[in-house]
Short mmCIF file of all heavy atoms in Angstrom, two decimals:
data_model
loop_
_atom_site.label_atom_id
_atom_site.label_comp_id
_atom_site.label_asym_id
_atom_site.label_seq_id
_atom_site.Cartn_x
_atom_site.Cartn_y
_atom_site.Cartn_z
N ALA A 277 7.25 7.75 8.41
CA ALA A 277 7.52 7.77 9.84
C ALA A 277 8.24 9.06 10.27
O ALA A 277 7.98 9.59 11.35
CB ALA A 277 8.36 6.56 10.24
N LEU A 278 9.13 9.56 9.40
CA LEU A 278 10.00 10.67 9.80
C LEU A 278 9.45 12.05 9.50
O LEU A 278 9.79 13.02 10.20
CB LEU A 278 11.36 10.52 9.12
CG LEU A 278 12.21 9.33 9.57
CD1 LEU A 278 13.48 9.25 8.73
CD2 LEU A 278 12.56 9.44 11.05
N MET A 279 8.64 12.18 8.47
CA MET A 279 8.18 13.50 8.05
C MET A 279 7.46 14.21 9.20
O MET A 279 6.52 13.69 9.78
CB MET A 279 7.24 13.37 6.86
CG MET A 279 7.16 14.64 6.02
SD MET A 279 8.51 14.66 4.83
CE MET A 279 8.03 13.31 3.78
N GLY A 280 7.93 15.38 9.53
CA GLY A 280 7.31 16.18 10.58
C GLY A 280 7.75 15.84 11.99
O GLY A 280 7.27 16.46 12.95
N ALA A 281 8.66 14.89 12.15
CA ALA A 281 9.10 14.51 13.51
C ALA A 281 9.95 15.60 14.13
O ALA A 281 10.82 16.18 13.48
CB ALA A 281 9.88 13.20 13.46
N LYS A 282 9.71 15.86 15.41
CA LYS A 282 10.55 16.79 16.16
C LYS A 282 11.71 16.06 16.84
O LYS A 282 12.79 16.63 17.02
CB LYS A 282 9.72 17.52 17.21
CG LYS A 282 8.83 18.63 16.66
CD LYS A 282 8.27 19.46 17.79
CE LYS A 282 7.49 20.64 17.26
NZ LYS A 282 6.94 21.46 18.37
N VAL A 283 11.45 14.83 17.24
CA VAL A 283 12.48 14.01 17.87
C VAL A 283 12.46 12.63 17.23
O VAL A 283 11.38 12.06 17.02
CB VAL A 283 12.26 13.86 19.39
CG1 VAL A 283 13.40 13.06 20.04
CG2 VAL A 283 12.13 15.21 20.07
N VAL A 284 13.63 12.11 16.89
CA VAL A 284 13.75 10.76 16.34
C VAL A 284 14.64 9.96 17.29
O VAL A 284 15.79 10.35 17.55
CB VAL A 284 14.38 10.76 14.93
CG1 VAL A 284 14.50 9.33 14.40
CG2 VAL A 284 13.55 11.62 13.98
N VAL A 285 14.10 8.89 17.83
CA VAL A 285 14.86 8.02 18.74
C VAL A 285 15.23 6.76 17.98
O VAL A 285 14.37 6.13 17.36
CB VAL A 285 14.02 7.67 19.99
CG1 VAL A 285 14.93 7.06 21.05
CG2 VAL A 285 13.32 8.89 20.55
N ILE A 286 16.50 6.39 18.02
CA ILE A 286 16.99 5.26 17.21
C ILE A 286 17.57 4.18 18.11
O ILE A 286 18.75 4.21 18.47
CB ILE A 286 18.04 5.72 16.18
CG1 ILE A 286 17.49 6.88 15.33
CG2 ILE A 286 18.45 4.56 15.28
CD1 ILE A 286 18.45 7.40 14.27
N PRO A 287 16.73 3.17 18.48
CA PRO A 287 17.25 2.00 19.19
C PRO A 287 17.49 0.81 18.27
O PRO A 287 17.76 -0.29 18.76
CB PRO A 287 16.11 1.69 20.18
CG PRO A 287 14.87 2.06 19.42
CD PRO A 287 15.26 3.24 18.52
N ALA A 288 17.38 1.00 16.96
CA ALA A 288 17.47 -0.10 16.00
C ALA A 288 18.83 -0.79 16.07
O ALA A 288 19.85 -0.15 16.34
CB ALA A 288 17.22 0.41 14.59
N GLY A 289 18.84 -2.09 15.78
CA GLY A 289 20.10 -2.83 15.73
C GLY A 289 19.98 -4.16 16.44
O GLY A 289 18.92 -4.51 16.97
N VAL A 290 21.06 -4.91 16.43
CA VAL A 290 21.06 -6.22 17.09
C VAL A 290 21.50 -6.04 18.54
O VAL A 290 22.32 -5.18 18.85
CB VAL A 290 21.99 -7.21 16.36
CG1 VAL A 290 21.51 -7.44 14.94
CG2 VAL A 290 23.44 -6.72 16.35
N PRO A 291 20.95 -6.86 19.45
CA PRO A 291 21.33 -6.76 20.86
C PRO A 291 22.61 -7.53 21.15
O PRO A 291 23.04 -8.37 20.37
CB PRO A 291 20.15 -7.41 21.57
CG PRO A 291 19.67 -8.44 20.60
CD PRO A 291 19.88 -7.84 19.23
#
Side-chain angles (χ1 to χ4, degrees):
L278 293 175
M279 204 84 68
K282 284 191 174 180
V283 183
V284 180
V285 193
I286 307 181
V290 298

